[in-house]
Amino acid sequence: MSEAEKRKTHKRILEQAARIFREKGTETTSVSDVMQAAGLTHGGFYRHFKSKDDLVVAAFRNAVDDVLADMEDAASDEEREKAREAYIDTYLSLCHVDNRPEGCPLAALAGNLSRGPQDARAAAFQASERVSDQLREGPDAGQGVALLALMLGTVTLARFAETKDTAQSILDAGRAGVDLIRSEWPG
């Protein structure tokens, strides 16, 4: 296998792992599940990762990179603001609530990662810092943390809802909270 093929296979494993982990959780997903989804055999796993824990961290980081790309890659403040608005609108939507495999890795995996090894907890904390940094609109990091906490909680509660109407009401309340934090944050 050439280095280019190995990188392509590695990326495919990461993408499938991130999708399956967000959908089913890290604890109930096996290495075999991931490899099968990637169209590979279990035997090839250890050419790419030392352990399942290593895969969990790498897949999580890859998923975070994907969801933050538009904001982090914005070439101007105006582009970053548009990307931030799109991120918030998408985050606080029924589509996100219903599409866990493609959604925010923090919202889908926070519980699993908080119970995981130190590397997983560190990756989750670093991701929360990256996301909150992209969400804040000024120099106060606290605003980004408040926005992320509210958004994570909103999506979590909406996923518990028994009806779409209830989920939408929760999302609407979360959006009102986001708007309030953004308009009234001191500084």
Side-chain angles (χ1 to χ4, degrees):
M1 177 183 289
S2 72
E3 279 302 311
E5 289 171 324
K6 185 175 180 181
R7 282 192 302 274
K8 185 177 176 183
T9 299
H10 189 83
K11 178 84 170 151
R12 188 167 75 230
I13 295 168
L14 286 177
E15 289 170 351
Q16 290 303 315
R19 186 184 63 73
I20 294 170
F21 289 152
R22 285 181 279 189
E23 181 178 8
K24 298 179 180 181
T26 60
E27 295 167 356
T28 59
T29 303
S30 70
V31 167
S32 293
D33 295 335
V34 171
M35 296 303 280
Q36 183 178 9
L40 302 165
T41 63
H42 182 134
F45 175 79
Y46 293 100
R47 281 180 270 188
H48 296 276
F49 304 96
K50 295 180 289 190
S51 66
K52 181 181 172 187
D53 289 341
D54 185 39
L55 172 62
V56 167
V57 171
F60 175 77
R61 286 183 173 142
N62 187 69
V64 171
D65 290 346
D66 287 348
V67 299
L68 290 181
D70 289 344
M71 287 188 289
E72 289 182 337
D73 296 343
S76 67
D77 289 345
E78 183 179 326
E79 284 182 26
R80 183 173 180 218
E81 179 57 31
K82 284 181 184 177
R84 181 176 27 245
E85 286 303 316
Y87 182 86
I88 292 169
D89 289 345
T90 301
Y91 204 101
L92 296 175
S93 71
L94 282 174
C95 182
H96 182 221
V97 169
D98 292 340
N99 192 11
R100 188 182 305 245
E102 302 298 323
C104 174
L106 281 168
L109 295 171
N112 288 152
L113 296 175
S114 70
R115 292 185 299 275
Q118 176 56 33
D119 287 353
R121 293 191 312 273
F125 184 75
Q126 290 164 0
S128 70
E129 288 182 317
R130 283 177 65 195
V131 175
S132 62
D133 186 56
Q134 293 301 315
L135 290 174
R136 71 181 168 86
E137 296 175 312
D140 188 351
Q143 183 195 41
V145 172
L147 289 167
L148 177 58
L150 175 65
M151 291 166 59
L152 276 167
T154 298
V155 168
T156 300
L157 290 174
R159 285 180 173 159
F160 293 150
E162 294 183 6
T163 68
K164 295 280 186 208
D165 287 343
T166 301
Q168 187 60 59
S169 294
I170 292 166
L171 292 168
D172 292 344
R175 182 61 203 221
V178 164
D179 293 344
L180 185 62
I181 288 170
R182 292 173 82 188
S183 67
E184 301 297 325
W185 195 262

